[in-house]
Amino acid sequence: MMKKLKHWFKTTFFFKIDPEERNKIRDKVMENDHRVYKFLLPILMFIEGIMLVFSFINHGPAPTNVTEHIYRGLYAFLIVMCFGVLLLLDHFFKKRRSTPYFVFVGIFLLSIMLWGTGISLLDSYSVKGENLTYFAIALIGTSAFLTLEPWVASFACLIAAVVYDVIYFSVPAFNATPNPLFFASHCVICGICIISATFNFVRLIGSIRLEMKVSSMNESLSEKALVDDLTKVFNRRYLTEHIDVPLDYSENGSGVIMLDIDHFKRLNDTYGHQVGDECLSLLGIAINNLIRDKEAYCVRYGGEEFLIFFKNISKGDLEIYAETLRRRIEKMKVSISGGVQLRYTISCGLAKAEDGISYNNLINQADEALYRAKETRNTVSF
């Protein structure tokens, strides 16, 4: 039990989790927070503006009461602070810089709590009593709507409480005497702040983790829908979605290799579809290894036909890649029953994008080149 509690305290209260997940969660929290701050801070500014207006209406432009001047100063301070924080948060949000974003959120949290402390001290001074109304609202309110790590909210809460106590009991003008009930109320207020901050944070992190998991699953399903299960290259659906990709007609521009397995039908009829599938699978692996780390993708165009599209390649390099792949397949062996090892070959047709040719016409040119290569088999043709 103690180990679980210690683990929870470290991972939740101090947000000690995997750095990569932490960054993703921070980005998501920042997005959620910004939706709140865009509306919350202007509302706070409006409320404090109303308070200033009522102060001028009730006490005139130059009241003799010094306390009222301090009240007005605190109202004006909160308006200026909210305006400045709103501009800074909007700037860091657009730049996607989460670290300074949350630093200023923390500063805002502490500032608004100290502001609540100042209002409460003024109330206590003006009515000569222990008035914690605004202080409690500032503490509980900020912990309720801010989604920082719980230790940040708790630190700000305790700082505000200490400042209040030191000023309230050390300044003679308050004429206050410490008593157990007063400190008990402080503990209750701080406790509510810490618990609510922790609860909100844990709930938010759980929600974000679930959202990230669902998003990851959707991406995985979407990717699987575009990949051929047997060969692990893209399927025709992927080609359909990318058929309108602009071609590069320069010397080192777009190029295509269309290939298929020689005598594949005879291979299937003689040795069975299982052997045929093994040949296709090995061919898919060889193609993926060939185009790895290159601006290229491969599509299973038909049963045993494959289309490799290169975004940037010269005519010479296109021929080298096709010849390299042909030789690799020529040397491959597929084990079949009785310890026999089967060899098979491929033929390749090549085409380069020139003179404003369309995507479909480029594929047709590669198909025609493949047809010429099939006349001799196990060869490469332009």
Side-chain angles (χ1 to χ4, degrees), residues 184-374:
S185 65
H186 260 213
C187 291
V188 169
I189 291 171
C190 291
I192 292 174
C193 174
I194 294 171
I195 291 171
S196 62
T198 305
F199 175 77
N200 286 339
F201 185 76
V202 171
R203 184 177 61 180
L204 176 70
I205 297 306
S207 174
I208 290 175
R209 280 175 171 161
L210 178 61
E211 184 179 339
M212 289 166 56
K213 184 177 181 180
V214 171
S215 177
S216 177
M217 289 174 63
N218 288 337
E219 289 178 4
S220 178
L221 289 173
S222 178
E223 183 178 342
K224 286 181 179 179
L226 299 174
V227 174
D228 179 64
D229 288 335
L230 177 63
T231 60
K232 306 307 177 185
V233 300
F234 291 115
N235 54 29
R236 285 289 291 269
R237 180 182 170 187
Y238 183 89
L239 181 64
T240 303
E241 293 183 0
H242 289 73
I243 200 72
D244 58 348
V245 175
L247 296 175
D248 184 352
Y249 304 115
S250 64
E251 183 179 349
N252 293 318
S254 306
V256 166
I257 299 175
M258 181 173 280
L259 61 99
D260 73 356
I261 298 176
D262 295 328
H263 304 295
F264 186 71
K265 184 179 183 305
R266 187 170 66 188
L267 186 151
N268 264 336
D269 293 342
T270 304
Y271 300 102
H273 289 282
Q274 187 173 355
V275 174
D277 287 349
E278 180 69 15
C279 293
L280 289 170
S281 177
L282 290 174
L283 178 56
I285 293 173
I287 293 172
N288 281 328
N289 288 335
L290 179 75
I291 64 176
R292 183 179 298 166
D293 301 326
K294 296 178 179 65
E295 289 188 284
Y297 66 86
C298 178
V299 169
R300 186 177 179 185
Y301 196 67
E304 74 276 16
E305 284 187 327
F306 293 80
L307 180 70
I308 307 175
F309 177 76
F310 293 86
K311 294 182 179 180
N312 300 292
I313 193 169
S314 66
K315 187 174 182 180
D317 286 341
L318 189 65
E319 193 166 5
I320 289 173
Y321 282 125
E323 186 63 27
T324 299
L325 181 62
R326 186 195 66 78
R327 289 177 181 176
R328 287 182 183 179
I329 299 302
E330 188 180 35
K331 295 177 181 178
M332 279 186 178
K333 297 177 182 179
V334 179
S335 297
I336 56 178
S337 59
V340 179
Q341 290 190 322
L342 172 70
R343 292 178 181 270
Y344 65 101
T345 59
I346 61 171
S347 298
C348 304
L350 285 56
K352 275 283 288 153
E354 296 175 348
D355 301 327
I357 189 173
S358 68
Y359 202 108
N360 282 321
N361 286 337
L362 180 66
I363 294 175
N364 289 336
Q365 282 190 5
D367 190 33
E368 291 172 4
L370 175 61
Y371 182 79
R372 291 192 294 272
K374 297 292 285 186

Side-chain angles (χ1 to χ4, degrees), residues 11 14-28 98-99 149 209 212:
T11 56
F14 288 100
F15 201 22
K16 299 289 187 183
I17 61 175
D18 179 72
E20 184 177 351
E21 184 187 20
R22 180 190 179 100
N23 292 333
K24 290 181 180 178
I25 289 176
R26 273 186 172 274
D27 288 339
K28 198 65 181 177
S98 60
T99 299
E149 290 92 325
R209 280 175 171 161
M212 289 166 56

Side-chain angles (χ1 to χ4, degrees), residues 17-237:
I17 61 175
D18 179 72
E20 184 177 351
E21 184 187 20
R22 180 190 179 100
N23 292 333
K24 290 181 180 178
I25 289 176
R26 273 186 172 274
D27 288 339
K28 198 65 181 177
V29 169
M30 182 170 66
E31 291 180 7
N32 293 340
D33 272 10
H34 203 64
R35 296 192 192 102
V36 175
Y37 290 126
K38 282 196 302 185
F39 295 99
L40 177 66
L41 295 180
I43 290 172
L44 285 177
M45 292 165 62
F46 177 76
I47 292 173
E48 294 310 301
I50 295 295
M51 297 293 289
L52 272 176
V53 170
F54 274 107
S55 174
F56 279 99
I57 292 174
N58 295 330
H59 301 281
T64 56
N65 188 349
V66 177
T67 306
E68 192 61 30
H69 283 292
I70 301 176
Y71 271 120
R72 291 180 180 179
L74 287 172
Y75 298 150
F77 164 76
L78 190 58
I79 292 173
V80 173
M81 182 185 68
C82 288
F83 181 74
V85 168
L86 183 61
L87 291 179
L88 286 169
L89 294 187
D90 191 59
H91 170 74
F92 290 125
F93 176 77
K94 290 178 179 178
K95 296 290 185 180
R96 311 302 298 177
R97 296 176 61 188
S98 60
T99 299
Y101 183 94
F102 285 110
V103 167
F104 279 99
V105 168
I107 292 172
F108 172 73
L109 172 60
L110 179 58
S111 299
I112 200 170
M113 287 186 173
L114 292 175
W115 172 86
T117 299
I119 292 291
S120 297
L121 287 168
L122 281 177
D123 288 347
S124 299
Y125 177 78
S126 60
V127 301
K128 302 298 181 182
E130 296 168 354
N131 189 341
L132 295 175
T133 305
Y134 287 100
F135 181 45
I137 291 174
L139 290 178
I140 300 172
T142 47
S143 68
F145 69 72
L146 288 169
T147 46
L148 286 169
E149 290 92 325
W151 73 268
V152 179
S154 304
F155 176 76
C157 168
L158 295 175
I159 289 293
V162 170
V163 169
Y164 185 96
D165 290 344
V166 169
I167 296 177
Y168 189 63
F169 293 113
S170 62
V171 176
F174 288 102
N175 193 28
T177 303
N179 63 78
L181 182 60
F182 181 83
F183 287 113
S185 65
H186 260 213
C187 291
V188 169
I189 291 171
C190 291
I192 292 174
C193 174
I194 294 171
I195 291 171
S196 62
T198 305
F199 175 77
N200 286 339
F201 185 76
V202 171
R203 184 177 61 180
L204 176 70
I205 297 306
S207 174
I208 290 175
R209 280 175 171 161
L210 178 61
E211 184 179 339
M212 289 166 56
K213 184 177 181 180
V214 171
S215 177
S216 177
M217 289 174 63
N218 288 337
E219 289 178 4
S220 178
L221 289 173
S222 178
E223 183 178 342
K224 286 181 179 179
L226 299 174
V227 174
D228 179 64
D229 288 335
L230 177 63
T231 60
K232 306 307 177 185
V233 300
F234 291 115
N235 54 29
R236 285 289 291 269
R237 180 182 170 187

